[in-house]
Amino acid sequence: MDAGVDVVSEALAGLYERCRTLDAGEVADYIPQLALADPDCFGLALVSMDGHRYRAGDADTAFTLQSVTKPFVLALALAELGADEVWRRVGCEPSGEAFNAISLDEVTGRPANPMINAGAIAVTALVPATGPGERFARILDCLGRFAGRRLDVDEAVHRSEAETGDRNRALAYLMRGTGALRGDPAEAVDTYFRQCAVRATVEDLAVMAATLGNGGVNPVTGEAVVPEPVAVQVLAVMATCGMYDGAGEWMLRVGLPAKSGVSGGLVAVAPARFGVAVHSPRLDRVGNPVRGVAALREVSQRFGLHLMHNAAPGAATVVSEGGGSPEDGDGDDGDCKGGDGGGDRRTGVLAAQGALDFAAAERLLSALGESVGAAPGPVVLNLERVTAVDAAAEAMLTRALTLLADRGHRVVLVGEVLGSGPWEQGREF
Ligand code: GLN
């Protein structure tokens, strides 16, 4: 992109400058190798749904992903096993407790959710494989497909956590006791430690986040990494549980699905817009990176990205209405059978444009409702400028047109976008 118009990079550079002076927070040291991180390392990256990449600061520094791997491994388990099987074994409720809490349900013995350690260890163990080697290979491969390149393991960090991670080991044994974990707890924890030690840059992480925001399709490589319903479920869990006991405050102030990790990584997803990642090892008291949280608060506010913020309505759905004949009258309407009934007059013409979803279909159908007269008569619906119809809109339109036909109205469709399924050029209802 021409540097002169690259205002996204400019915005990231501004964020970098403003947040780099924040020096509150501590580098995690309960995994000794992580304590060696440079506390002032700070990188930001953003990747759009078109695969455009933007970055600022130390974007080439590789760091271990730690808990940021959790949503992506959850996606793998959901894709492999299906939602029912996964949610039978792990809950989806925010625990309101620290990431390493012993959050096991008193009745079911299940971990509270897959974003805390207990749930993540259980989910990692669910990934189908003949043994731990194959299981980790599948996890590494999947993380690489999310990132768009093969990733590797920081062996020193893995060793360091394996030597000191007794709390996680204890969690795994407890879960075997409650029935939440099948198989050997030591093996399950070691695979989880290796997963936490997978290394990537903040730019890789932004591609991973963008893949979740893009319905599971990596916007850089074009690969469908996981099915769209899986990406939706993972984002939902990130939104409620991704920031540990800071999740409520995060939703209040930032309002985006996100996940943090103890090495200072943080991903956030603006669904259908972009993925963003920050790396900064100084952590606040709940284990979230101080500069990352500050940067994401500002991004969300400045760009109006809070999920509960109502975006301005899209372009008008109904672009013309009137009686007599299809608006452009340029002879393209030959397929329209409205005039072959032997002299009947068209009483209404409606034209729609853009992508039809629930809200757009509602707008179109309320205009259609007004344009059909009480007495049965023909209506022309011109959909030539409709660019997409989602499943909800298609069902709504089909149902409405069938109802009109049942009441004796004749509705004629013009437009090729709906040329498959129940929609045909010139189809009459
Ligand atoms: N490997 C770390 C642990 O289990 C991951 C925790 C985190 O990033 N919050 O303690």
Side-chain angles (χ1 to χ4, degrees):
M1 183 175 300
D2 182 322
V5 294
D6 185 358
V7 296
V8 179
S9 293
E10 190 179 67
L12 286 187
L15 269 178
Y16 174 79
E17 287 305 328
R18 281 186 293 284
C19 296
R20 68 187 294 194
T21 53
L22 300 174
D23 57 7
E26 303 294 330
V27 177
D29 58 5
Y30 74 99
I31 300 172
Q33 195 70 20
L34 292 186
L36 305 179
D38 172 5
D40 289 319
C41 180
F42 181 32
L44 300 131
L46 184 149
V47 173
S48 75
M49 298 295 104
D50 301 314
H52 301 145
R53 306 188 210 201
Y54 306 89
R55 46 191 275 166
D58 304 315
D60 290 325
T61 305
F63 57 96
T64 58
L65 297 181
Q66 301 296 334
S67 284
V68 182
T69 56
K70 290 171 181 171
F72 302 99
V73 177
L74 170 65
L76 173 62
L78 284 168
E80 293 283 337
L81 296 166
D84 290 350
E85 179 62 13
V86 171
W87 299 123
R88 211 161 57 75
R89 308 197 140 264
V90 55
C92 56
E93 299 300 338
S95 69
E97 293 178 298
F99 66 86
N100 57 3
I102 303 175
S103 276
L104 302 179
D105 187 278
E106 279 176 21
V107 179
T108 63
R110 287 183 320 175
N113 70 68
M115 300 293 111
I116 54 171
N117 289 4
I121 294 167
V123 166
T124 295
L126 281 179
V127 172
T130 53
E134 184 187 335
R135 182 165 299 111
F136 181 68
R138 299 195 64 191
I139 289 170
L140 185 64
D141 175 69
C142 179
L143 293 172
R145 285 186 290 124
F146 269 108
R149 75 176 182 92
R150 190 148 183 85
L151 301 177
D152 66 358
V153 173
D154 185 327
E155 297 294 346
V157 171
H158 171 245
R159 258 195 316 277
S160 181
E161 185 163 21
E163 281 161 16
T164 54
D166 287 337
R167 190 177 172 98
N168 283 324
R169 230 169 255 123
L171 273 174
Y173 279 97
L174 271 176
M175 286 195 290
R176 188 169 66 170
T178 67
L181 184 74
R182 281 187 300 197
D184 177 5
E187 250 171 45
V189 171
D190 191 62
T191 307
Y192 164 78
F193 287 157
R194 281 190 82 72
Q195 161 192 327
C196 289
V198 170
R199 184 159 50 183
T201 66
V202 77
E203 194 170 323
D204 294 322
L205 212 44
V207 177
M208 295 170 79
T211 301
L212 282 179
N214 195 34
V217 177
N218 184 315
V220 175
T221 64
E223 182 182 354
V225 181
V226 290
E228 202 253 357
V230 166
V232 171
Q233 289 209 341
V234 171
L235 291 175
V237 176
M238 289 167 74
T240 50
C241 313
M243 300 299 277
Y244 311 120
D245 33 348
E249 171 116 12
W250 176 267
M251 191 37 85
L252 191 69
R253 298 192 188 280
V254 182
L256 296 173
K259 185 76 198 84
S260 61
V262 283
S263 58
L266 171 62
V267 286
V269 181
R273 294 190 167 100
F274 59 76
V276 63
V278 184
H279 174 230
S280 171
R282 293 178 191 273
L283 307 180
D284 63 19
R285 85 190 151 75
V286 298
N288 293 324
V290 173
R291 293 179 188 175
V293 171
L296 262 297
R297 276 190 190 185
E298 189 180 326
V299 165
S300 173
Q301 270 166 23
R302 270 187 55 192
F303 301 121
L305 294 171
H306 195 294
L307 283 183
M308 308 307 166
H309 170 73
N310 279 324
T317 305
V318 180
V319 282
S320 74
E321 38 195 308
S325 63
E327 55 184 330
D328 47 22
D330 60 3
D332 285 358
D333 305 312
D335 290 338
C336 167
K337 301 194 190 89
D340 65 2
D344 60 353
R345 283 187 53 76
R346 292 166 183 165
T347 57
V349 178
L350 269 185
Q353 70 174 6
L356 299 188
D357 59 4
F358 171 86
E362 186 278 331
R363 262 180 250 140
L364 177 59
L365 293 178
S366 83
L368 183 64
E370 279 165 26
S371 86
V372 295
V379 178
V380 173
L381 193 52
N382 185 342
L383 302 174
E384 281 169 323
R385 281 185 261 163
V386 168
T387 50
V389 184
D390 76 7
E394 179 171 321
M396 290 164 75
L397 290 179
T398 305
R399 175 79 186 130
L401 298 184
T402 306
L403 285 174
L404 284 174
D406 287 349
R407 283 187 215 137
H409 293 280
R410 194 153 67 86
V411 184
V412 180
L413 295 182
V414 181
E416 283 178 19
V417 64
L418 303 173
S420 61
W423 307 97
E424 291 159 22
Q425 172 84 345
R427 165 137 183 206
E428 292 185 27
F429 280 81

